[in-house]
Amino acid sequence: EHINKKPNQMSGGQMQRVAIARALINDPDILLADEPTGALDSETSVQVMEILKEVARDRLVIMVTHNPELAERYSNEKQVTDQTPRAFIALSDDDNGVPPANSIGYYSALKKHNVPAELHVYPSGGHGWGWRDSFEYHDELRASLGRWLEEIRK
């Protein structure tokens, strides 16, 4: 019934589900979801989050949200089991966008479940430094991640 609808004829939740389906069509190992529930009502937000939770069973889902209820309900540390894949976690101590406590909580949950993990805390860099060459610790981060990737390939 919805197959011939144009985007302007769909609800926000329908468009979000289509966006997730389009992202999954190529079977990616990693799914990036930036504010996937930002413009949705609470009920539809939960539906989209449940889809992402299911997707996360067999691939990495990286999601950003500013919704404190969803962050609490679907936070990484609440999802960790002994089957959770190993993790390389890098953060800046001065990140005002994502508190370092979030990463530390996830790392602690991984360790509690005996999941191999590395935690790298850089003294500065703020939020969103990613792979920018201007990040003061760019070379150190790349070297650490390279060593970690080599180790997990063994």
Side-chain angles (χ1 to χ4, degrees):
E1 106 191 40
H2 299 294
I3 196 157
N4 293 317
K5 282 189 174 180
K6 299 201 182 304
N8 66 352
Q9 297 170 313
M10 298 169 65
S11 71
Q14 290 169 331
M15 287 190 289
Q16 286 297 74
R17 289 188 283 274
V18 168
I20 293 169
R22 288 181 63 206
L24 294 173
I25 200 77
N26 291 320
D27 195 29
D29 292 329
I30 301 171
L31 179 65
L32 302 174
D34 185 8
E35 292 285 350
T37 62
L40 305 178
D41 62 72
S42 296
E43 182 180 333
T44 308
S45 292
V46 169
Q47 291 172 355
V48 168
M49 290 303 298
E50 288 298 321
I51 292 169
L52 291 173
K53 184 176 176 182
E54 183 64 30
V55 168
R57 291 186 189 278
D58 64 353
R59 71 192 77 224
L60 174 62
V61 175
I62 300 172
M63 187 193 82
V64 176
T65 184
H66 291 99
N67 181 323
E69 292 170 15
L70 291 178
E72 175 63 24
R73 183 171 178 180
Y74 295 97
S75 67
N76 287 336
E77 58 266 19
K78 298 210 187 248
Q79 310 304 319
V80 173
T81 70
D82 60 351
Q83 299 299 309
T84 300
R86 66 183 69 208
F88 180 94
I89 304 166
L91 64 123
S92 292
D93 192 41
D94 63 349
D95 188 336
N96 293 320
V98 178
N102 290 13
S103 297
I104 293 166
Y106 182 57
Y107 176 79
S108 297
L110 291 168
K111 289 305 192 177
K112 177 180 172 186
H113 290 278
N114 298 312
V115 175
E118 284 191 22
L119 177 65
H120 298 262
V121 182
Y122 299 99
S124 61
H127 180 70
W129 42 263
W131 288 100
R132 286 193 308 242
D133 289 336
S134 62
F135 175 52
E136 182 178 355
Y137 304 96
H138 175 82
D139 293 338
E140 182 181 332
L141 170 64
R142 286 190 60 159
S144 296
L145 181 57
R147 282 191 300 275
W148 183 78
L149 290 170
E150 285 299 317
E151 189 64 31
I152 67 172
R153 287 185 186 133
K154 291 181 184 178

